[in-house]
Amino acid sequence: MATRTATHTIGIDLGGTKILTGIVNARNEMVATVKTPTNAQEGAQGVLDRIIVSLDQALVQSNLSKSDIRGVGIGVPGVFDAASGVIIRITNIDGMENVNMAQLLSTWHGGKIKTVLSNDVRVATWGEYQLGAGKGHKNMVAIWVGTGIGGGIILNGKVLEGSRGSAGEVGHVVTLADGPFAAGAGVRGGIEALASRTAIERDLRRAIADGTATILPQILAKNENQLKSGVLRKAVRKGDALTISVLERAAYYLGLHCASVVNMLDPEIVVYGGGLMENLGDWMIERIAPVARRNFINKSNLDKISLVATSLGEPAGALGAALLARG
Amino acid sequence: MATRTATHTIGIDLGGTKILTGIVNARNEMVATVKTPTNAQEGAQGVLDRIIVSLDQALVQSNLSKSDIRGVGIGVPGVFDAASGVIIRITNIDGMENVNMAQLLSTWHGGKIKTVLSNDVRVATWGEYQLGAGKGHKNMVAIWVGTGIGGGIILNGKVLEGSRGSAGEVGHVVTLADGPFAAGAGVRGGIEALASRTAIERDLRRAIADGTATILPQILAKNENQLKSGVLRKAVRKGDALTISVLERAAYYLGLHCASVVNMLDPEIVVYGGGLMENLGDWMIERIAPVARRNFINKSNLDKISLVATSLGEPAGALGAALLARG
């Protein structure tokens, strides 16, 4: 075999429900993607095993060998030490504590590679900034609406890390003081407690329990009773009044929240991603944007601020992680 | 007269009610301060005349001549073009439109000087960052609570300007959706509408009109019926239950708002200034801090985040403007 220069990098997006692993070539093209369920309930070792399998599968899929890979980046939904490449804790995965991810990835590769460990939301923000909706801008806020609401802030072309590495938690901006409690560790009345898929599901199930007319139970039965974003999209398409009114309320709060973020940071673009936005992005943004614009404090050059849905969709995280691993 | 190197700079804080002009020497000491009422109702020419008079008075006070001055900075409460040094508009001062401030200051000086035009809140933030409570930190948010609520954000040692020059508007973070309307251009339910001195006065006067027991009318009569921050301080000292409860409510909202800001930006320090905080800073922060800390999403290294009152007080703006003019 002729000696080749390693030109590809791998990005891993370790999510609460799925692991997405992708290989990116030197032209920023995704040449392989492997999607595996996280099965967090099986604990850390099972998850780590599935990550390694996904790496091998991605190589097979792209017809590449380990020697073609110069780096691996991974975005994780937990606490980590970027410098040492150690996952300190991922609350939702049992036993995922003090895992030396950098070592694990290097051992898998067997050679000298660059490894990068970062936050799941931040790698997705970086992907969207470099190759997606944020391309060509210098100041961007990304808001990821899914089970929770996370975010990433890019200022002057750099990800804002913050003094303790935790900047960008846009989901925990209190938007309705004394409002609903958030699931998990979120703050009361924060936008996550008002407009995440979890909050939307809470409001819908409560209304169903109260006997509000809706076609949701029908659609839910076909979907193993899981109220995922795809179910919401179907209900909206069918004109379900309850779903539409709950989503419109969420969009209203997201609009107020968008204004808060823009008034503080004055970015050029706000990008919405995450499960809910991948399914209902344009519909939601049509409702978010007018509320936001009414509440922007700086009314000049309003056209300079774009509110858009993610253009990369689900692979944004893996792509961003792969780009970070290029170094 | 022997030739001397100009080592001093002048800073002007043009406020809605007063103009504060100060001269700063090379050791960052304020060697002269002149305080003049703005008398905004007299219009632009009157205000500009008073600024020029204050410059001359500051020179006399410090026993300096124009040749000792190497630069003049000014912070204004309005829209401006920093590059050309032109005030585009100050809404509260009649006729203050398209005023070439850089030219005016250069003409006053007669020689070659550096002139800097910036935002009133941002110059105060810069002063506090360089010489006040923010000294020694790299990431700071300043929140100025007075007639309105303004703010400044310092990230990695630089003032965040934003894509349209309007970053830092922390007063217009929606904290109580569908809450009270703000005076002026502020957003509904924004922290300015909940906790500025104007909002506090609104709530107090409403309660007085409703017949709530309070010693405020007594204190007000002695103060020409003006409900300034000094009056609030007196009422708190005398244990006035109404004033205390309204201020505690404002502090509660400021605490939630602080958490929102910290969750987004993860600074090392949040500094509170402005009229209300100059009078009641420690009392307010004792009530703001526990609410904020309960709602910080990153619970680690909580001791790394300080919440403190301005240490420079009123001269922060003039000092910051003077430092900016040093160049």
Side-chain angles (χ1 to χ4, degrees):
Chain A
M1 202 174 88
T3 311
R4 291 182 293 183
T5 312
T7 51
H8 292 65
T9 56
I10 299 186
I12 305 164
D13 181 8
L14 174 54
T17 57
K18 64 176 186 291
I19 301 162
L20 202 83
T21 300
I23 302 185
V24 173
N25 68 16
R27 293 187 301 281
N28 294 333
E29 294 156 346
M30 199 86 119
V31 296
T33 49
V34 175
K35 197 168 158 178
T36 317
T38 308
N39 289 344
Q41 74 282 0
E42 290 177 15
Q45 196 51 56
V47 172
L48 294 172
D49 289 347
R50 273 187 294 285
I51 289 174
I52 295 299
V53 169
S54 80
L55 291 170
D56 291 327
Q57 288 177 332
L59 283 183
V60 171
Q61 198 187 102
S62 58
N63 214 8
L64 293 167
S65 68
K66 287 176 181 173
S67 62
D68 295 310
I69 305 302
R70 58 188 292 179
V72 184
I74 178 166
V76 301
V79 187
F80 58 89
D81 181 57
S84 63
V86 170
I87 295 176
I88 295 170
R89 190 176 50 258
I90 299 178
T91 315
N92 296 333
I93 303 176
D94 230 35
M96 191 68 101
E97 275 176 41
N98 301 316
V99 172
N100 193 326
M101 207 62 218
Q103 197 176 61
L104 196 83
L105 294 170
S106 293
T107 302
W108 167 79
H109 183 269
K112 198 170 153 46
I113 52 162
K114 180 180 170 72
T115 60
V116 174
L117 178 58
S118 186
N119 173 300
D120 57 342
V121 173
R122 234 174 254 164
V123 297
T125 300
W126 190 244
E128 202 64 44
Y129 174 70
Q130 290 282 56
L131 297 175
K135 212 173 163 180
H137 297 285
K138 289 194 72 180
N139 300 290
M140 174 183 117
V141 177
I143 300 174
W144 305 92
V145 187
T147 313
I149 295 185
I153 299 170
I154 309 249
L155 296 174
N156 295 316
K158 283 187 189 159
V159 177
L160 182 69
E161 304 276 351
S163 70
R164 298 169 303 159
S166 67
E169 289 283 8
V170 299
H172 308 291
V173 169
V174 178
T175 304
L176 179 63
D178 307 318
F181 286 94
V187 308
R188 185 176 179 186
I191 190 65
E192 179 169 297
L194 296 167
S196 63
R197 203 193 44 71
T198 311
I200 291 164
E201 177 162 358
R202 174 199 62 210
D203 292 348
L204 286 171
R205 291 203 185 268
R206 195 173 293 162
I208 293 170
D210 288 351
T212 311
T214 165
I215 58 166
L216 272 179
Q218 268 173 268
I219 311 179
L220 278 170
K222 287 184 209 147
N223 288 270
E224 298 167 335
N225 206 28
Q226 292 195 312
L227 217 164
K228 294 188 171 175
S229 298
V231 170
L232 296 175
R233 187 185 50 201
K234 268 185 210 156
V236 167
R237 283 206 184 142
K238 287 174 189 276
D240 184 62
L242 172 64
T243 307
I244 289 172
S245 96
V246 167
L247 284 173
E248 282 184 337
R249 192 75 196 154
Y252 170 73
Y253 287 127
L254 283 167
L256 296 180
H257 171 262
C258 178
S260 298
V261 171
V262 167
N263 291 340
M264 278 194 68
L265 300 179
D266 192 19
E268 295 146 81
I269 183 163
V270 180
V271 179
Y272 286 92
L276 189 72
M277 293 300 179
E278 284 158 25
N279 279 282
L280 281 160
D282 292 340
W283 190 92
M284 287 293 285
I285 287 172
E286 265 173 40
R287 284 149 182 87
I288 293 170
V291 179
R293 291 188 196 285
R294 263 203 310 280
N295 288 284
F296 287 163
I297 194 73
N298 181 349
K299 305 286 185 195
S300 67
N301 316 321
L302 269 183
D303 52 326
K304 273 188 74 176
I305 301 185
S306 311
L307 272 65
V308 297
T310 166
S311 68
L312 299 180
E314 199 180 39
L319 201 45
L323 293 180
L324 284 174
R326 196 177 279 165
Chain B
M1 202 174 88
T3 312
R4 291 182 293 182
T5 313
T7 52
H8 292 66
T9 56
I10 299 186
I12 306 164
D13 181 8
L14 173 55
T17 56
K18 62 176 185 291
I19 300 162
L20 202 83
T21 300
I23 302 184
V24 173
N25 67 17
R27 292 187 302 280
N28 294 332
E29 295 156 345
M30 199 86 120
V31 296
T33 49
V34 175
K35 197 169 158 177
T36 319
T38 307
N39 289 344
Q41 72 283 359
E42 290 177 15
Q45 196 51 57
V47 172
L48 295 172
D49 288 348
R50 272 186 295 284
I51 289 174
I52 295 299
V53 169
S54 79
L55 291 170
D56 290 327
Q57 287 177 333
L59 283 183
V60 170
Q61 201 187 100
S62 57
N63 214 8
L64 293 167
S65 69
K66 287 176 182 173
S67 61
D68 295 309
I69 305 301
R70 57 187 291 178
V72 184
I74 178 166
V76 301
V79 187
F80 58 90
D81 181 57
S84 62
V86 170
I87 295 175
I88 295 170
R89 188 175 52 258
I90 298 178
T91 315
N92 296 333
I93 304 175
D94 231 35
M96 191 68 100
E97 275 176 42
N98 301 316
V99 173
N100 193 326
M101 207 62 217
Q103 196 177 62
L104 196 84
L105 295 169
S106 294
T107 303
W108 167 79
H109 183 269
K112 196 170 154 46
I113 52 163
K114 180 179 169 71
T115 60
V116 175
L117 177 59
S118 185
N119 172 299
D120 57 342
V121 173
R122 233 174 256 165
V123 297
T125 299
W126 190 244
E128 202 65 43
Y129 175 70
Q130 289 282 57
L131 297 174
K135 212 173 163 180
H137 297 285
K138 288 195 74 181
N139 300 289
M140 175 185 116
V141 177
I143 300 174
W144 304 92
V145 187
T147 314
I149 295 185
I153 298 171
I154 310 251
L155 296 174
N156 295 317
K158 283 186 189 161
V159 177
L160 181 69
E161 305 276 350
S163 69
R164 299 169 303 158
S166 67
E169 289 283 9
V170 298
H172 308 292
V173 169
V174 177
T175 304
L176 179 63
D178 307 318
F181 286 94
V187 307
R188 185 175 180 187
I191 191 65
E192 180 169 297
L194 296 166
S196 62
R197 203 193 45 70
T198 311
I200 290 164
E201 176 162 359
R202 174 200 62 208
D203 293 346
L204 286 171
R205 290 203 186 269
R206 195 173 293 163
I208 294 170
D210 287 350
T212 311
T214 166
I215 58 168
L216 272 178
Q218 268 172 268
I219 311 178
L220 279 170
K222 288 183 207 149
N223 287 271
E224 297 166 334
N225 205 29
Q226 292 193 312
L227 216 166
K228 293 189 172 174
S229 298
V231 170
L232 296 175
R233 186 183 51 200
K234 269 185 210 158
V236 167
R237 283 205 184 143
K238 286 173 189 278
D240 184 62
L242 172 64
T243 307
I244 288 171
S245 96
V246 167
L247 284 173
E248 283 184 338
R249 191 77 195 153
Y252 170 73
Y253 287 127
L254 283 167
L256 296 181
H257 171 263
C258 178
S260 298
V261 171
V262 167
N263 290 341
M264 277 194 68
L265 299 178
D266 192 20
E268 295 147 80
I269 184 165
V270 180
V271 179
Y272 287 91
L276 188 72
M277 294 299 179
E278 284 158 24
N279 279 282
L280 281 161
D282 292 340
W283 190 91
M284 286 293 284
I285 286 172
E286 266 173 40
R287 285 150 183 85
I288 293 170
V291 179
R293 290 188 196 284
R294 264 203 309 280
N295 289 283
F296 287 163
I297 194 74
N298 182 348
K299 304 286 185 197
S300 67
N301 317 322
L302 270 181
D303 52 324
K304 273 188 75 177
I305 301 185
S306 312
L307 272 66
V308 298
T310 165
S311 69
L312 298 179
E314 197 180 41
L319 201 45
L323 293 180
L324 284 174
R326 196 177 278 165

